[in-house]
Amino acid sequence: DSIANFLADRNGVLRASVSDDGVGMGARRRHRRGLGLLGMRERIERAKGRLRIVSRPGHGTRLMAEIPMTPAAGRARSAVVAERRSAAS
């Protein structure tokens, strides 16, 4: 099993990708979202970004996030970081 990570800032958009070559997620599992993926999506969308999840049984999973690096998005990201810090306390 292996995991690949990618992080880049292109044209004012932060792009992150994480993929693995694991068993993937089947259709049944995709409809039964856990809080981890839901929480990731909520935080990214709060920062005016988007999260895409691509997965096929037997072919691994890839998470792709795009977050604009604008002042408005920066304020939203700061709120997400503050929220995480208070939850960790």
Side-chain angles (χ1 to χ4, degrees), residues 16-71:
S17 175
V18 178
S19 59
D20 68 28
D21 62 355
V23 298
M25 295 185 287
R28 184 182 304 168
R29 203 170 201 175
R30 190 172 290 151
H31 295 292
R32 200 184 68 182
R33 291 184 180 159
L35 294 177
L37 292 176
L38 181 61
M40 286 173 64
R41 184 178 302 280
E42 286 177 352
R43 286 181 177 93
I44 290 168
E45 288 177 354
R46 191 178 294 172
K48 307 297 184 213
R50 68 182 185 147
L51 174 67
R52 291 185 6 214
I53 302 167
V54 177
S55 184
R56 287 189 357 224
H59 294 279
T61 300
R62 183 174 185 191
L63 306 176
M64 296 162 285
E66 294 182 344
I67 302 171
M69 303 300 290
T70 63

